């Protein structure tokens, strides 16, 4: 075999020899393809995840917007209600102030009227006297009994005692063991004052164990009862004391 034949055979053998290992260029292409494919899949997944997150956020924002709208509506309704209530409160405050002013005026007027009534009642009772401890009898004529008693106490007025004394009657409910108080009204105050002075420490009053007292309103009686212990103590000490 000549040299040309060997060269040709060598070339054919070389051309027909199957590749056992990939060459560098092929290896690079495969690796490059793999690297190109992996980022493409990762980017797609990432994009889908981002889109899903954005959609979720959008839905959440939509829900929050709806809640805010609902809250805004509620606040607006409550604001209107609060404004109405504030107006009503201010009106109530105004009416309350007016009522307080009117009440204060009525209170002053009531106090003035009460004092006037007390004054009139005090003045009216100056014609009256009361008797404590006068024995009570069944079927008695209390007016005649009192007139007879007054004639004995004040003989100077005996001739006109029938005309001097107007009304006489007992007060309160009847009890078996305690005589009721007697109240009498005189026509003239001067006659009343004369009898009142005559009854002071009169022996007939001591014998009958009766006591003449003034006809006072409740407030004056309570005030006198409160002062009485002081007067009684002063009298025991030999001092001159009495009611004004």
């Amino acid at each position: 075999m000549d040299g040309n034949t060997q060269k040709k055979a060598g070339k054919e053998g070389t051309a027909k020899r199957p590749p056992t290992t990939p060459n560098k260029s092929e290896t690079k292409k495969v690796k490059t393809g793999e690297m190109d494919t992996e980022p493409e899949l990762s980017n797609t997944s990432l994009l889908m995840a981002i889109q899903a997150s954005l959609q979720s956020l959008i839905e959440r924002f939509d829900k929050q917007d709806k809640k805010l709208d609902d809250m805004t509506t509620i606040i607006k309704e409550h604001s209107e209600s609060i404004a109405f209530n504030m107006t009503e409160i201010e009106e109530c405050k105004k009416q309350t102030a007016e009522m307080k002013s009117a009440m204060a005026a009525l209170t002053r007027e009531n106090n003035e009227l009460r004092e006037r009534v007390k004054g009139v009642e005090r003045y009216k009772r100056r014609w009256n006297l009361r008797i404590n401890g006068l024995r009570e009898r069944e079927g008695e004529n209390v007016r005649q009994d009192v007139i007879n008693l007054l004639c004995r106490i004040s003989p100077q007025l005996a001739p006109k005692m029938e005309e001097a004394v107007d009304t006489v009657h007992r007060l309160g409910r009847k009890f078996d063991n305690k005589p009721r108080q007697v109240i009498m009204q005189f026509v003239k105050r001067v006659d009343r004052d004369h009898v009142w002075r005559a009854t002071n420490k009169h022996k007939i009053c001591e014998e009958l164990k009766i006591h003449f007292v003034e006809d006072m309103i409740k407030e004056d009686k309570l005030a006198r009862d409160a002062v009485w212990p002081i007067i009684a103590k002063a009298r025991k000490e030999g001092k001159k004391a009495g009611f004004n």
Side-chain angles (χ1 to χ4, degrees):
M1 183 179 297
D2 56 8
N4 293 331
T5 306
Q6 292 179 349
K7 291 181 182 179
K8 186 177 179 182
K11 289 181 181 179
E12 291 177 355
T14 303
K16 293 181 180 180
R17 185 177 58 186
T20 56
T21 57
N23 56 26
K24 293 182 179 179
S25 61
E26 290 176 349
T27 303
K28 289 181 179 179
K29 287 182 179 180
V30 172
K31 288 184 178 180
T32 302
E34 291 176 355
M35 291 178 65
D36 292 341
T37 303
E38 289 179 358
E40 184 179 355
L41 293 174
S42 299
N43 290 338
T44 302
S45 300
L46 180 62
L47 181 60
M48 292 177 65
I50 291 173
Q51 289 177 347
S53 298
L54 288 175
Q55 184 64 31
S56 177
L57 287 173
I58 291 171
E59 292 177 358
R60 289 177 62 184
F61 284 141
D62 290 341
K63 291 180 181 179
Q64 293 297 328
D65 288 341
K66 187 176 184 307
K67 289 182 179 179
L68 287 174
D69 292 339
D70 294 340
M71 290 179 64
T72 302
T73 303
I74 293 172
I75 291 172
K76 184 178 179 181
E77 293 175 354
H78 282 290
S79 298
E80 294 175 354
S81 177
I82 290 171
F84 175 78
N85 290 336
M86 291 298 295
T87 303
E88 291 294 315
I89 289 171
E90 291 298 325
E91 185 65 23
C92 290
K93 287 182 177 180
K94 181 180 178 181
Q95 293 179 0
T96 301
E98 293 175 353
M99 290 178 65
K100 285 183 177 179
S101 178
M103 182 65 70
L106 289 174
T107 301
R108 290 193 299 269
E109 183 179 356
N110 182 62
N111 291 334
E112 291 175 0
L113 290 174
R114 287 172 65 89
E115 291 301 320
R116 289 181 184 179
V117 170
K118 289 179 183 179
V120 172
E121 192 69 17
R122 286 190 186 99
Y123 186 78
K124 179 182 177 182
R125 290 174 183 243
R126 292 179 182 178
W127 276 258
N128 301 346
L129 282 176
R130 297 192 182 201
I131 307 175
N132 291 329
L134 184 63
R135 187 170 63 89
E136 187 171 357
R137 297 177 291 106
E138 190 69 29
E140 66 181 359
N141 186 343
V142 64
R143 184 178 187 278
Q144 191 60 50
D145 292 342
V146 168
I147 289 175
N148 295 337
L149 175 63
L150 296 180
C151 289
R152 294 173 61 189
I153 294 173
S154 180
Q156 298 90 335
L157 294 179
K160 62 173 186 178
M161 195 64 73
E162 287 282 352
E163 291 77 19
V165 178
D166 186 8
T167 58
V168 180
H169 59 87
R170 291 191 181 270
L171 298 172
R173 297 173 57 187
K174 185 176 180 180
F175 295 94
D176 295 334
N177 300 326
K178 185 178 179 180
R180 290 176 293 172
Q181 193 179 55
V182 176
I183 184 170
M184 67 195 82
Q185 185 179 54
F186 289 83
V187 176
K188 295 181 180 180
R189 184 177 171 185
V190 63
D191 295 335
R192 177 263 189 193
D193 292 344
H194 179 83
V195 172
W196 170 237
R197 288 190 298 269
T199 59
N200 186 26
K201 296 182 180 180
H202 199 283
K203 63 178 183 179
I204 294 178
C205 296
E206 295 178 357
E207 291 174 1
L208 297 177
K209 296 180 180 180
I210 61 176
H211 183 58
F212 283 78
V213 296
E214 294 179 285
D215 183 26
M216 295 181 293
I217 63 175
K218 181 180 180 180
E219 291 80 0
D220 292 347
K221 188 176 184 303
L222 292 175
R224 180 166 290 193
D225 291 342
V227 178
W228 172 247
I230 300 175
I231 295 176
K233 181 180 179 181
R235 288 179 179 179
K236 287 181 180 180
E237 296 173 354
K239 299 177 183 178
K240 187 178 181 180
F243 299 106
N244 184 4

